[in-house]
Amino acid sequence: MAGLCIWLRVSGPPLADFLEAMAEGSRARLERARQMLSLPEIRSRAEKVEVKPLRKSAFHLFAELKPVSPTEGPLGDFDPVVLALSYSSGGATAISVLTEPTRFGGSLGLMQTVAKTVETPVMRKDFLVDPYQVWEARAFGADGVLLVARLFDHETLAALVEATEDAGLFALIEVFEESDITLFDASWESKPNVLVGVNCRDLETLEVRPESHERLVGLLPSGTSRIAESGIGSADRVVELREMGYDGVLVGTSLMKSDDPSGLLARMAAGVST
């Protein structure tokens, strides 16, 4: 699998310009990283970093740390250490950290800071295109990675999932539409470190479509933890999503804009604890 570079899928309906731009930027960062460290070198560094396992949970709360929203702009000044600790104390199952720099204001350094701050598992959220970036994620402290299913065909998505297994990380496979779900391999249902997430954001307009959560949940593999993403801002909405059949949520902008992110997370956790 060394040297395998994964490119955008060319079959099927055309992808949104936004997703194409994010993948192009990711490939450029990949090439710069490879010039500094080879795959064997980044893998050697990664293997020296201890991985925190994603613990089993009746309901997962992924709390996201992102400096910028593509639709709302900068999400305010914040201390990543303070914010990560507040997420952890609020009951986050995992902390999702953006490492994409151009539209989300993230970085590997930001993720590394968070990973060194908390005992809570940390997930790299980016537009990964190659197994190298999985090992890079672990080298900078990630315990899991997000994989956007729509970027790949079945074979190359499987190669990324294999890379996460090799690296000892969990993978959250993100889907937007029915066609993305067809890329999910049935064999992954038996893998506890593979989760599937439904992002209800429209990639053409970047608008949130909450109805997508209900429309797609029944199509997801039943043996895999199902995570709802985007447009989640209240404990009541989290309860609704649990009742739809989701096993967790990923909450971002509402936490970043909250005056009390720990309290908001705690209310969400309390709402699904009964």
PDB file of all heavy atoms in Angstrom, residues 12 14 27 29 35 105 118 138 140-141 155-156 169 201 218 251 264:
ATOM      1  N   GLY A  12     -19.975   8.708 -12.026  1.00  0.00           N
ATOM      2  CA  GLY A  12     -21.117   9.188 -11.272  1.00  0.00           C
ATOM      3  C   GLY A  12     -21.336  10.675 -11.455  1.00  0.00           C
ATOM      4  O   GLY A  12     -20.725  11.321 -12.306  1.00  0.00           O
ATOM      5  N   PRO A  14     -21.282  14.759 -11.059  1.00  0.00           N
ATOM      6  CA  PRO A  14     -20.158  15.648 -10.768  1.00  0.00           C
ATOM      7  C   PRO A  14     -20.162  16.093  -9.316  1.00  0.00           C
ATOM      8  O   PRO A  14     -21.209  16.293  -8.699  1.00  0.00           O
ATOM      9  CB  PRO A  14     -20.409  16.842 -11.706  1.00  0.00           C
ATOM     10  CG  PRO A  14     -21.876  16.787 -12.008  1.00  0.00           C
ATOM     11  CD  PRO A  14     -22.240  15.343 -12.002  1.00  0.00           C
ATOM     12  N   ARG A  27      -4.195  17.224  -1.588  1.00  0.00           N
ATOM     13  CA  ARG A  27      -3.134  16.605  -2.369  1.00  0.00           C
ATOM     14  C   ARG A  27      -1.874  17.457  -2.376  1.00  0.00           C
ATOM     15  O   ARG A  27      -0.761  16.937  -2.307  1.00  0.00           O
ATOM     16  CB  ARG A  27      -3.613  16.356  -3.804  1.00  0.00           C
ATOM     17  CG  ARG A  27      -4.640  15.246  -3.913  1.00  0.00           C
ATOM     18  CD  ARG A  27      -4.796  14.787  -5.347  1.00  0.00           C
ATOM     19  NE  ARG A  27      -5.408  15.809  -6.186  1.00  0.00           N
ATOM     20  CZ  ARG A  27      -6.710  15.915  -6.399  1.00  0.00           C
ATOM     21  NH1 ARG A  27      -7.540  15.069  -5.812  1.00  0.00           N
ATOM     22  NH2 ARG A  27      -7.185  16.840  -7.191  1.00  0.00           N
ATOM     23  N   ARG A  29      -0.897  19.524  -0.006  1.00  0.00           N
ATOM     24  CA  ARG A  29      -0.263  19.394   1.315  1.00  0.00           C
ATOM     25  C   ARG A  29       0.419  18.039   1.459  1.00  0.00           C
ATOM     26  O   ARG A  29       1.477  17.926   2.076  1.00  0.00           O
ATOM     27  CB  ARG A  29      -1.322  19.588   2.412  1.00  0.00           C
ATOM     28  CG  ARG A  29      -1.737  21.038   2.603  1.00  0.00           C
ATOM     29  CD  ARG A  29      -2.725  21.187   3.748  1.00  0.00           C
ATOM     30  NE  ARG A  29      -4.076  20.848   3.355  1.00  0.00           N
ATOM     31  CZ  ARG A  29      -4.898  20.060   4.025  1.00  0.00           C
ATOM     32  NH1 ARG A  29      -4.480  19.485   5.150  1.00  0.00           N
ATOM     33  NH2 ARG A  29      -6.125  19.832   3.604  1.00  0.00           N
ATOM     34  N   GLN A  35       7.780  15.426   0.728  1.00  0.00           N
ATOM     35  CA  GLN A  35       9.108  15.952   0.438  1.00  0.00           C
ATOM     36  C   GLN A  35       9.939  16.091   1.704  1.00  0.00           C
ATOM     37  O   GLN A  35      11.166  16.031   1.663  1.00  0.00           O
ATOM     38  CB  GLN A  35       8.997  17.303  -0.275  1.00  0.00           C
ATOM     39  CG  GLN A  35       8.451  17.202  -1.694  1.00  0.00           C
ATOM     40  CD  GLN A  35       8.198  18.555  -2.318  1.00  0.00           C
ATOM     41  OE1 GLN A  35       8.610  19.588  -1.778  1.00  0.00           O
ATOM     42  NE2 GLN A  35       7.509  18.573  -3.453  1.00  0.00           N
ATOM     43  N   GLY A 105      -9.392  26.949   8.788  1.00  0.00           N
ATOM     44  CA  GLY A 105      -8.429  27.541   9.716  1.00  0.00           C
ATOM     45  C   GLY A 105      -7.734  26.557  10.619  1.00  0.00           C
ATOM     46  O   GLY A 105      -7.205  26.933  11.664  1.00  0.00           O
ATOM     47  N   VAL A 118      -5.677  16.519  26.418  1.00  0.00           N
ATOM     48  CA  VAL A 118      -6.776  15.730  26.981  1.00  0.00           C
ATOM     49  C   VAL A 118      -6.520  14.235  26.854  1.00  0.00           C
ATOM     50  O   VAL A 118      -5.750  13.785  25.997  1.00  0.00           O
ATOM     51  CB  VAL A 118      -8.114  16.077  26.292  1.00  0.00           C
ATOM     52  CG1 VAL A 118      -8.500  17.522  26.549  1.00  0.00           C
ATOM     53  CG2 VAL A 118      -8.035  15.802  24.791  1.00  0.00           C
ATOM     54  N   ARG A 138      -1.721  10.057  13.017  1.00  0.00           N
ATOM     55  CA  ARG A 138      -1.274   9.435  14.274  1.00  0.00           C
ATOM     56  C   ARG A 138       0.004  10.103  14.785  1.00  0.00           C
ATOM     57  O   ARG A 138       0.162  10.308  15.998  1.00  0.00           O
ATOM     58  CB  ARG A 138      -1.045   7.938  14.079  1.00  0.00           C
ATOM     59  CG  ARG A 138      -0.507   7.290  15.354  1.00  0.00           C
ATOM     60  CD  ARG A 138      -0.439   5.775  15.289  1.00  0.00           C
ATOM     61  NE  ARG A 138       0.318   5.257  16.434  1.00  0.00           N
ATOM     62  CZ  ARG A 138       0.529   3.978  16.688  1.00  0.00           C
ATOM     63  NH1 ARG A 138       0.042   3.057  15.861  1.00  0.00           N
ATOM     64  NH2 ARG A 138       1.221   3.602  17.745  1.00  0.00           N
ATOM     65  N   PHE A 140       0.813  13.072  14.700  1.00  0.00           N
ATOM     66  CA  PHE A 140       0.475  14.339  15.348  1.00  0.00           C
ATOM     67  C   PHE A 140      -0.574  14.165  16.445  1.00  0.00           C
ATOM     68  O   PHE A 140      -1.167  15.146  16.896  1.00  0.00           O
ATOM     69  CB  PHE A 140      -0.001  15.355  14.314  1.00  0.00           C
ATOM     70  CG  PHE A 140       1.124  16.014  13.553  1.00  0.00           C
ATOM     71  CD1 PHE A 140       1.697  15.387  12.457  1.00  0.00           C
ATOM     72  CD2 PHE A 140       1.634  17.236  13.960  1.00  0.00           C
ATOM     73  CE1 PHE A 140       2.739  15.973  11.755  1.00  0.00           C
ATOM     74  CE2 PHE A 140       2.685  17.833  13.273  1.00  0.00           C
ATOM     75  CZ  PHE A 140       3.241  17.202  12.162  1.00  0.00           C
ATOM     76  N   GLY A 141      -0.789  12.926  16.882  1.00  0.00           N
ATOM     77  CA  GLY A 141      -1.613  12.699  18.059  1.00  0.00           C
ATOM     78  C   GLY A 141      -3.034  12.242  17.830  1.00  0.00           C
ATOM     79  O   GLY A 141      -3.778  12.047  18.797  1.00  0.00           O
ATOM     80  N   GLU A 155     -12.639   0.550  -3.961  1.00  0.00           N
ATOM     81  CA  GLU A 155     -11.321  -0.015  -3.713  1.00  0.00           C
ATOM     82  C   GLU A 155     -10.433   0.937  -2.917  1.00  0.00           C
ATOM     83  O   GLU A 155      -9.743   0.536  -1.973  1.00  0.00           O
ATOM     84  CB  GLU A 155     -10.641  -0.367  -5.034  1.00  0.00           C
ATOM     85  CG  GLU A 155      -9.256  -0.971  -4.870  1.00  0.00           C
ATOM     86  CD  GLU A 155      -8.590  -1.285  -6.197  1.00  0.00           C
ATOM     87  OE1 GLU A 155      -9.234  -1.091  -7.252  1.00  0.00           O
ATOM     88  OE2 GLU A 155      -7.423  -1.721  -6.181  1.00  0.00           O
ATOM     89  N   THR A 156     -10.458   2.207  -3.284  1.00  0.00           N
ATOM     90  CA  THR A 156      -9.561   3.144  -2.618  1.00  0.00           C
ATOM     91  C   THR A 156     -10.068   3.525  -1.220  1.00  0.00           C
ATOM     92  O   THR A 156      -9.269   3.766  -0.317  1.00  0.00           O
ATOM     93  CB  THR A 156      -9.343   4.397  -3.480  1.00  0.00           C
ATOM     94  OG1 THR A 156     -10.609   4.893  -3.934  1.00  0.00           O
ATOM     95  CG2 THR A 156      -8.498   4.062  -4.692  1.00  0.00           C
ATOM     96  N   LEU A 169      -6.054   3.189  14.413  1.00  0.00           N
ATOM     97  CA  LEU A 169      -6.969   4.308  14.598  1.00  0.00           C
ATOM     98  C   LEU A 169      -8.402   3.889  14.284  1.00  0.00           C
ATOM     99  O   LEU A 169      -8.643   2.886  13.615  1.00  0.00           O
ATOM    100  CB  LEU A 169      -6.583   5.469  13.677  1.00  0.00           C
ATOM    101  CG  LEU A 169      -5.130   5.952  13.708  1.00  0.00           C
ATOM    102  CD1 LEU A 169      -4.970   7.154  12.785  1.00  0.00           C
ATOM    103  CD2 LEU A 169      -4.695   6.299  15.122  1.00  0.00           C
ATOM    104  N   ARG A 201     -25.237  18.405   5.276  1.00  0.00           N
ATOM    105  CA  ARG A 201     -24.948  19.641   4.549  1.00  0.00           C
ATOM    106  C   ARG A 201     -24.991  19.393   3.042  1.00  0.00           C
ATOM    107  O   ARG A 201     -24.453  18.400   2.547  1.00  0.00           O
ATOM    108  CB  ARG A 201     -23.585  20.195   4.949  1.00  0.00           C
ATOM    109  CG  ARG A 201     -23.331  21.626   4.463  1.00  0.00           C
ATOM    110  CD  ARG A 201     -22.050  22.183   5.032  1.00  0.00           C
ATOM    111  NE  ARG A 201     -22.093  22.315   6.477  1.00  0.00           N
ATOM    112  CZ  ARG A 201     -22.660  23.323   7.136  1.00  0.00           C
ATOM    113  NH1 ARG A 201     -23.275  24.279   6.465  1.00  0.00           N
ATOM    114  NH2 ARG A 201     -22.634  23.365   8.450  1.00  0.00           N
ATOM    115  N   GLY A 218     -32.082   4.954   7.813  1.00  0.00           N
ATOM    116  CA  GLY A 218     -32.526   3.588   7.591  1.00  0.00           C
ATOM    117  C   GLY A 218     -31.720   2.841   6.554  1.00  0.00           C
ATOM    118  O   GLY A 218     -31.817   1.616   6.457  1.00  0.00           O
ATOM    119  N   VAL A 251     -20.960  17.503  16.860  1.00  0.00           N
ATOM    120  CA  VAL A 251     -21.442  18.880  17.049  1.00  0.00           C
ATOM    121  C   VAL A 251     -20.263  19.836  16.912  1.00  0.00           C
ATOM    122  O   VAL A 251     -19.246  19.666  17.580  1.00  0.00           O
ATOM    123  CB  VAL A 251     -22.102  19.041  18.435  1.00  0.00           C
ATOM    124  CG1 VAL A 251     -22.731  20.425  18.560  1.00  0.00           C
ATOM    125  CG2 VAL A 251     -23.140  17.959  18.668  1.00  0.00           C
ATOM    126  N   LEU A 264     -23.330  22.908  27.428  1.00  0.00           N
ATOM    127  CA  LEU A 264     -24.145  22.449  26.303  1.00  0.00           C
ATOM    128  C   LEU A 264     -23.922  20.964  26.049  1.00  0.00           C
ATOM    129  O   LEU A 264     -24.881  20.205  25.849  1.00  0.00           O
ATOM    130  CB  LEU A 264     -23.813  23.261  25.048  1.00  0.00           C
ATOM    131  CG  LEU A 264     -24.549  22.865  23.763  1.00  0.00           C
ATOM    132  CD1 LEU A 264     -26.057  22.886  23.950  1.00  0.00           C
ATOM    133  CD2 LEU A 264     -24.137  23.793  22.611  1.00  0.00           C
TER     134      LEU A 264
END
